[in-house]
Amino acid sequence: MLFPVPRGSKVGIVSPSCALDSPAQIRDGLRWLESCGYRVVLGKYVYDRFNHMAGTPEQRAEDLMRFFKDPEIKAVFASCGGYGAQYVLPLLDYDIIRKNPKPLIGFSDITALQAGIYAQTGNISYAGILLKYDFADGSIHPYTAQSLLQTLDGTVAEIAGGIAVNPGYAEGRLIGTNLCVLQLLAGTPFYPDLNNTVLLLEDVDDKSYRFERMLLQLRQQPGFTGVQAVIFGQFSDVYLNHPDDKDLNQIIDEFAAAVKIPVIKNFPFGHVRARKTVPIGARVAVDAGKPTLYVKS
């Protein structure tokens, strides 16, 4: 089920991935959350550093578990992405997380935690904002802010946008979002069961042939036949390694032709300032012909 986060609730702040260079990088984001009525509680290791990561894996896991154990904390926000969340996965107590469901909010590298928590517990997370990324210019994009707040208020029912590639209707549990991070979990206990799922995929800053390779791996993944629909979000800063390489549109179109299930591309989610918040693990329906994603529960 979805978990509204009422205004006035306490929300935890963690840094599960890369280290912040200074507290100033999330200062505006923290102030914005407070201006929306949320009571911000910082994790012990939010500003720590261990090599390029925000503390040791044990420290980052400790911050996450502290907030999942605390019944007063109604949601957990990640400060930034980057790399390193996957180290934390084996250190979490999934029995406690299962018994204390609350949304973990973030995207990009936070995909590892959101996918892993869903795989181990079935709990829902929100692929939404990152405090460093979304407030890099001092303020969050209004479109992004509105979508996040609607989700936290529990009022989201449908998200329209994108281009139909393969029309059709499908239902399933929403899984995603960062393609590279998700596929790095393949073969681990933290890769979600793909049966009866809808995949939402996005990525950033890489060569087109690498995305083609990852999508081929995905199609060959055990259980992929259980995927009911695929939604491609924004793939930002994609470039060709060689003039003869396929561009991203060709790669997606060929993928869609091969899988023969509903497919949408250019959906409003990804490493872009204006994006929708989506509930990872929630039951959704897709009408690719419209195209629209409906949040069911």
Side-chain angles (χ1 to χ4, degrees):
M1 61 179 290
L2 300 181
F3 297 97
V5 184
R7 309 297 175 96
S9 300
K10 288 184 178 180
V11 297
I13 310 298
V14 295
S15 295
S17 298
C18 281
L20 297 165
D21 293 329
S22 76
Q25 289 185 304
I26 62 170
R27 179 185 57 215
D28 292 327
L30 297 178
R31 289 176 177 171
W32 180 78
L33 286 174
E34 290 171 342
S35 75
C36 293
Y38 298 107
R39 294 182 288 162
V40 170
V41 182
L42 294 179
K44 182 178 179 180
Y45 302 105
V46 166
Y47 300 124
D48 269 42
R49 179 176 289 275
F50 176 72
N51 298 323
H52 72 282
M53 289 176 274
T56 65
E58 290 78 12
Q59 289 171 329
R60 289 176 281 137
E62 180 183 327
D63 267 359
L64 275 167
M65 291 310 308
R66 172 194 167 198
F67 288 139
F68 272 105
K69 291 175 184 177
D70 187 343
E72 292 192 353
I73 300 294
K74 301 304 181 183
V76 184
F77 284 82
S79 67
C80 68
Y83 168 68
Q86 194 168 353
Y87 281 100
V88 178
L89 287 170
L91 304 175
L92 300 179
D93 188 326
Y94 293 101
D95 188 51
I96 289 175
I97 293 173
R98 183 183 300 105
K99 293 175 181 177
N100 297 275
K102 61 193 69 175
L104 172 62
I105 299 165
F107 71 103
S108 195
D109 193 53
I110 309 306
T111 294
L113 293 170
Q114 294 169 331
I117 286 173
Y118 175 75
Q120 290 290 314
T121 71
N123 289 3
I124 291 171
S125 296
Y126 297 152
I129 71 166
L130 290 169
L131 298 176
K132 176 184 172 183
Y133 182 92
D134 283 292
F135 291 87
D137 297 329
S139 62
I140 190 170
H141 193 286
Y143 182 90
T144 304
Q146 180 186 42
S147 179
L148 173 67
L149 293 175
Q150 286 176 336
T151 302
L152 296 179
D153 291 341
T155 60
V156 173
E158 62 182 65
I159 303 171
I163 298 170
V165 184
N166 289 354
Y169 179 89
E171 296 188 9
R173 293 285 174 180
L174 186 65
I175 300 299
T177 54
N178 185 266
L179 174 59
C180 177
V181 174
L182 185 66
Q183 287 309 104
L184 286 172
L185 297 179
T188 76
F190 310 110
Y191 192 83
D193 181 354
L194 297 179
N195 192 44
N196 293 319
T197 58
V198 171
L199 298 185
L200 171 59
L201 305 172
E202 60 82 30
D203 221 311
V204 63
D205 191 24
D206 211 338
K207 300 170 183 176
S208 63
Y209 85 88
R210 289 174 56 84
F211 293 131
E212 181 180 14
R213 184 167 62 188
M214 284 185 276
L215 290 173
L216 178 60
Q217 181 201 24
L218 176 63
R219 284 203 289 124
Q220 295 174 346
Q221 186 73 26
F224 181 80
T225 54
V227 174
Q228 303 300 303
V230 179
I231 303 171
F232 290 96
Q234 304 298 307
F235 282 70
S236 310
D237 301 322
V238 179
Y239 49 96
L240 301 182
N241 185 61
H242 186 276
D244 292 335
D245 285 351
K246 303 169 188 174
D247 65 22
L248 186 63
N249 275 316
Q250 185 179 357
I251 291 168
I252 290 176
D253 290 348
E254 289 183 359
F255 175 90
V259 299
K260 297 181 175 63
I261 56 178
V263 174
I264 296 170
K265 65 181 178 182
N266 294 339
F267 189 76
F269 183 87
H271 283 73
V272 289
R273 290 209 66 213
R275 89 185 72 82
K276 290 290 190 178
T277 293
V278 294
I280 299 302
R283 190 168 63 90
V284 300
V286 177
D287 187 337
K290 287 195 173 181
T292 302
L293 174 72
Y294 300 93
V295 179
K296 313 279 283 185
S297 63

